[in-house]
Amino acid sequence: MPLIVKDFHWEQSEIILWITIPLKGVKANKVDIILSDNYLKVSFPPYLFECFLAYSVDDNKGSAEVGNGVVLFTLYKQVPKIWESLTSPDASNTSKAKEIREEAQKRIQHRFEKKQTELLETKREHGKLAINEMMKIEEEDRQRIEQIKVSERLKATKDLEKWKNEQKLLTEQEKSKLLAQQYSINKTNKLQDKNEGKKQKRIKAACIFVKHAKEGQEPPRENGKITVTHTPRIFPTPTRESQVHQEEEWLKKQSNARQAIQQSLDNDLTEQEKNPQWLQDKGNSFFAAGDFKSAANVYTHAIHLTPKLAALYSNRAACHLKMRNFFKCIEDCSKAMDLLFPPVPQNAASRCKALIRRGTAFCHLEMYVEGLRDYECALHIDPNNTDVAVDAERIRKIIQSTDDIHRP
């Protein structure tokens, strides 16, 4: 049974109500307070103070201060007036008092839940604000990075244009220089031919006087040119008769060694591994499984066996495109296009694939003009391919936007 505190003190004005409750030596951190509009409870074991207020107070404005051995309540009356007594007459009615307690508990619980809801809502709003700020910062970073990219692209474009102009100027200078040299050579040759003609005339004129004296002699030899060709040599030193035997023996050993290595490699391969069609199917299965490196190795081995099969180069280009080896992709596609010449309806699909892959590699390297050219060629081969038409239009817009940026 708790000990009921009765030696409390209270004062009032028309607006405010002050209630002072002694703690009787109990520490302040062990005090539990419950306050509603018409109910007040202070629990500090083993003591208990409970008060059923005669009139209602504003529990949102009221305050409680714990310190100096007392609990001081400052409560604001809902209706300004002087109370005749602090407690309600219903305090002596047990059922009525129980009802007031339960009602007070409900109000306190509702107030607590409302406060928690407001805290959660406030936290949610703060979270939204934080997310918005983060999105704003990220957007600013993206814009900054995009501006850097644009500036770097403009710089690279200016450097490229500058280099092209320099190369053009150098080409023109070289061309002018060659023309000048050719003109000088032609002029010299004409002068020599003219002098030679005069010399021949003088010789003929002199021969008139000595013709009869030289009838018994052989005519002089005519002028001519001798073409000298040199046999290609593997060794960097000049050939010597004393070392010819050793050099031929060394070259023979090297040839035998290469043949032995190639024969051992061929012996290790099965009949299927020597079949280019089987290797192509094997590479296709690796590509379908996502193992692009293994597929490229298989295609390379097949190309070593059959270097004139265009499909092997085209498939290996697809592997390089997946592995972002764009320059190798362009090289293989170009080789496939060379092998697919002349263009006929039977190889139209293969040429279209090679052009699309090469155009994609060009676009990844930001060489959009070259990529658009390949896409347009592929579209010319297959005009009904809507995907290629859409991609070509997208590349064309990128080029136009780049031109708008470069245009002063």
Side-chain angles (χ1 to χ4, degrees), residues 108-167:
I108 293 171
Q109 182 67 25
H110 177 71
R111 186 170 57 193
F112 177 76
E113 291 176 356
K114 183 178 179 181
K115 186 175 181 181
Q116 291 296 321
T117 304
E118 291 176 354
L119 288 175
L120 289 175
E121 187 66 25
T122 303
K123 186 177 180 180
R124 192 178 297 110
E125 290 295 329
H126 289 170
K128 289 182 180 179
L129 291 175
I131 292 173
N132 291 334
E133 289 296 326
M134 288 297 295
M135 292 176 64
K136 184 178 179 182
I137 293 172
E138 291 178 357
E139 182 63 26
E140 292 176 354
D141 291 339
R142 281 196 294 270
Q143 292 179 358
R144 180 176 57 82
I145 293 171
E146 187 63 26
Q147 290 177 357
I148 293 173
K149 287 183 178 179
V150 171
S151 62
E152 291 296 329
R153 191 181 298 114
L154 290 174
K155 183 179 177 182
T157 305
K158 289 180 180 178
D159 293 340
L160 181 60
E161 292 295 331
K162 182 179 178 182
W163 179 82
K164 287 182 178 179
N165 293 331
E166 291 177 353
Q167 293 298 318

Side-chain angles (χ1 to χ4, degrees), residues 324-391:
R324 302 185 68 81
N325 298 329
F326 302 125
F327 289 104
K328 292 183 178 180
C329 175
I330 293 170
E331 183 179 354
D332 281 349
C333 289
S334 300
K335 182 63 176 179
M337 291 297 296
D338 292 339
L339 294 174
L340 291 171
F341 187 84
V344 293
Q346 287 76 10
N347 62 16
S350 300
R351 287 186 287 114
C352 187
K353 287 182 181 179
L355 287 168
I356 292 172
R357 289 166 182 168
R358 189 171 68 178
T360 304
F362 276 129
C363 291
H364 280 292
L365 294 172
E366 296 187 0
M367 301 171 67
Y368 298 112
V369 176
E370 291 79 0
L372 179 60
R373 187 181 299 116
D374 284 345
Y375 268 89
E376 288 178 346
C377 291
L379 195 60
H380 180 72
I381 296 172
D382 187 6
N384 297 325
N385 195 326
T386 56
D387 294 335
V388 176
V390 172
D391 292 339

Side-chain angles (χ1 to χ4, degrees), residues 6 38 43 59 75 103 111 117 174 184 215 234-235 242 244 248 250 262 266 303 323 345 348 360 379 384 397 400 404:
K6 294 183 179 180
N38 57 356
S43 176
D59 52 357
L75 306 176
E103 184 65 23
R111 186 170 57 193
T117 304
E174 291 292 333
S184 178
E215 288 181 354
I234 298 175
F235 298 94
S242 60
V244 171
E248 290 179 352
W250 185 86
Q262 184 62 35
D266 293 340
I303 289 171
M323 294 186 292
T360 304
L379 195 60
N384 297 325
K397 289 182 180 179
Q400 291 176 355
D404 292 340

